[in-house]
Amino acid sequence: MQTSRTVQIAAYGGPEVMKLVELPVGEPGPGEIRIRHEACGLNFIDVYQRTGLYQNPLPLTLGMEGAGIVEAVGEGVTHLKVGDRAAYASNPPGAYSQARVMPARSVCRLPDAIDFETGAAMMLKGLTAQYLLKKTLPAEGLQPGDHVLFHAAAGGVGLIACQWAKALGLQLIGTAGSDEKCRLALEHGAAFAINYQKEDFVERVKQITGGQGLKVVYDSVGKDTFVRSFDCLRPFGLAANFGNASGKVPPVEMGLLAAKGSLYVTRPTLFTHIATRESTQAMADDLFAVVRSGAVKIRIDQRYALKDAAQAHRELEARKTTGCSVLLP
Ligand SMILES: NC(=O)c1ccc[n+]([C@@H]2O[C@H](COP(=O)([O-])OP(=O)(O)OC[C@H]3O[C@@H](n4cnc5c(N)ncnc54)[C@H](OP(=O)(O)O)[C@@H]3O)[C@@H](O)[C@H]2O)c1
């Protein structure tokens, strides 16, 4: 039986709990494939799973995004064959590995024009930007010229969203934690950038929108920004919280939504959007098209050997990374 070097945790904790172990990799069962990774994506959800903020049975292999070659195909899998180039964002975790067996449902053929590192970097983050900007919309929709607020705009999801929003004609107001990161967001299509370490983002949004406020805010920072972001919204605006980089959002008093102007709140996850093979492929086709068109470039600013996954987590948590990061098995 084959084995694979794989990053595993036996207990929740800091980056030091991540260990490189050699695990057996079996044959795919019905509806599964075996993939040999060329690159694996790093995502903030990997940190939540490592710390136990999101709980999974232990021991746990980490990683939810990867790209590589399909090595074996189980019964009933028709959209992939041995030798295909492929990429995915998927549950269950296990992408920090040389090879794995996994459900085929979330795995898509990777167009030849897209290299493996790009494929590994863009699936989870790009599909997230896709469902946020195209499906997580205020009741009245978004029209070209509308302002939207996007927190952590220089991160992995953030730089993709900056470019995609511009391609859709939206004026994205990005926040980021340094002047350098703000510059990066602007270079990638943000119409405005706010250094929220130095500036009051609520005041700046009011200025930028001439006091009107926004139809929607996309917030993955969570605890430090979510409730304050309500003050950036116009009546009937939508506050979408899709992450917890600064910690979980505390429970929201429902009356606050009335007081701030009959606001809407949603807490979406990519995994609802990619629950079926059909929805996954449709979203991936949209992502592949925008990347192939050049309108969205996948910027990989950090590359780590798989054995250095702990270092990758330290840098991601310390806000030292920009754009996407990949692990190379
Ligand atoms: N719900 C979903 O479907 C879904 C899917 C994918 C990703 N996400 C979420 O989207 C966010 C972005 O993911 P990503 O993988 O692309 O990560 P990332 O944006 O590259 O990294 C997270 C960024 O959050 C910002 N941040 C603000 N406060 C922080 C703090 N206290 N500690 C650490 N970082 C802080 C940092 O940027 P600044 O220094 O500029 O503030 C940091 O670079 C994450 O929250 C992730 O969980 C959600």
Side-chain angles (χ1 to χ4, degrees), residues 56-200:
N56 286 284
L58 295 171
L60 175 69
T61 54
L62 294 176
M64 310 201 75
E65 191 181 38
I69 305 263
V70 176
E71 262 191 358
V73 172
E75 199 186 308
V77 176
T78 53
H79 69 287
L80 292 168
K81 61 179 189 322
V82 172
D84 277 350
R85 303 171 76 253
Y88 66 87
S90 176
N91 251 328
Y96 289 10
S97 59
Q98 292 176 305
R100 69 180 296 198
V101 169
M102 63 179 300
R105 194 186 63 222
S106 323
V107 184
C108 298
R109 285 187 57 186
L110 185 64
D112 289 341
I114 301 178
D115 64 69
F116 287 116
E117 288 190 8
T118 302
M122 76 179 198
M123 291 299 282
L124 198 148
K125 292 171 277 287
L127 295 178
T128 299
Q130 200 274 356
Y131 87 72
L132 289 172
L133 294 172
K134 298 207 171 174
K135 299 185 193 170
T136 310
L137 300 176
E140 47 192 321
L142 284 175
Q143 282 76 44
D146 279 345
H147 293 98
V148 303
L149 180 61
F150 206 103
H151 288 302
V157 178
L159 286 184
I160 297 174
C162 287
Q163 298 171 77
W164 210 331
K166 184 176 184 191
L168 293 169
L170 301 171
Q171 303 232 50
L172 183 144
I173 305 171
T175 60
S178 69
D179 292 343
E180 178 65 10
K181 288 184 179 184
C182 284
R183 192 182 52 76
L184 213 51
L186 291 169
E187 279 172 13
H188 287 77
F192 302 89
I194 306 171
N195 179 345
Y196 52 10
Q197 302 274 44
K198 291 203 308 207
E199 292 179 274
D200 181 336

Side-chain angles (χ1 to χ4, degrees), residues 20-319:
L20 195 62
V21 296
E22 194 88 27
L23 293 180
V25 188
E27 293 304 315
E32 293 182 332
I33 60 149
R34 188 172 70 232
I35 185 165
R36 180 150 298 271
H37 291 132
E38 295 283 335
C40 322
L42 180 74
N43 289 282
F44 221 93
I45 192 170
D46 309 340
V47 172
Y48 310 144
Q49 294 185 342
R50 192 204 72 221
T51 60
L53 181 72
Y54 294 175
Q55 303 239 330
N56 286 284
L58 295 171
L60 175 69
T61 54
L62 294 176
M64 310 201 75
E65 191 181 38
I69 305 263
V70 176
E71 262 191 358
V73 172
E75 199 186 308
V77 176
T78 53
H79 69 287
L80 292 168
K81 61 179 189 322
V82 172
D84 277 350
R85 303 171 76 253
Y88 66 87
S90 176
N91 251 328
Y96 289 10
S97 59
Q98 292 176 305
R100 69 180 296 198
V101 169
M102 63 179 300
R105 194 186 63 222
S106 323
V107 184
C108 298
R109 285 187 57 186
L110 185 64
D112 289 341
I114 301 178
D115 64 69
F116 287 116
E117 288 190 8
T118 302
M122 76 179 198
M123 291 299 282
L124 198 148
K125 292 171 277 287
L127 295 178
T128 299
Q130 200 274 356
Y131 87 72
L132 289 172
L133 294 172
K134 298 207 171 174
K135 299 185 193 170
T136 310
L137 300 176
E140 47 192 321
L142 284 175
Q143 282 76 44
D146 279 345
H147 293 98
V148 303
L149 180 61
F150 206 103
H151 288 302
V157 178
L159 286 184
I160 297 174
C162 287
Q163 298 171 77
W164 210 331
K166 184 176 184 191
L168 293 169
L170 301 171
Q171 303 232 50
L172 183 144
I173 305 171
T175 60
S178 69
D179 292 343
E180 178 65 10
K181 288 184 179 184
C182 284
R183 192 182 52 76
L184 213 51
L186 291 169
E187 279 172 13
H188 287 77
F192 302 89
I194 306 171
N195 179 345
Y196 52 10
Q197 302 274 44
K198 291 203 308 207
E199 292 179 274
D200 181 336
F201 70 83
V202 175
E203 284 311 312
R204 282 275 280 129
V205 167
K206 279 186 188 153
Q207 277 171 14
I208 291 167
T209 62
Q212 272 206 311
L214 305 158
K215 291 180 183 172
V216 61
V217 53
Y218 299 107
D219 172 61
S220 65
V221 172
K223 183 167 69 66
D224 290 352
T225 50
F226 189 60
V227 173
R228 283 177 60 222
S229 298
F230 293 176
D231 289 325
C232 299
L233 291 170
R234 63 173 73 171
F236 307 109
L238 172 66
N241 169 240
F242 67 102
N244 338 268
S246 68
K248 244 185 188 170
V249 176
V252 173
E253 163 58 45
M254 294 302 278
L256 190 62
L257 303 179
K260 300 283 180 187
S262 302
L263 301 183
Y264 293 80
V265 165
T266 184
R267 198 335 181 163
T269 165
L270 173 64
F271 299 102
T272 317
H273 287 278
I274 59 170
T276 68
R277 158 100 207 102
E278 291 70 28
S279 62
T280 306
Q281 190 64 54
M283 289 170 66
D285 287 345
D286 196 22
L287 174 62
F288 295 150
V290 80
V291 168
R292 291 169 72 170
S293 77
V296 171
K297 295 192 173 59
I298 305 298
R299 189 182 158 109
I300 302 174
D301 282 340
Q302 298 76 215
R303 290 177 174 80
Y304 306 89
L306 183 63
K307 67 175 174 51
D308 297 327
Q311 181 61 18
H313 275 219
R314 284 191 191 97
E315 291 179 12
L316 184 62
E317 289 179 271
R319 307 166 78 161

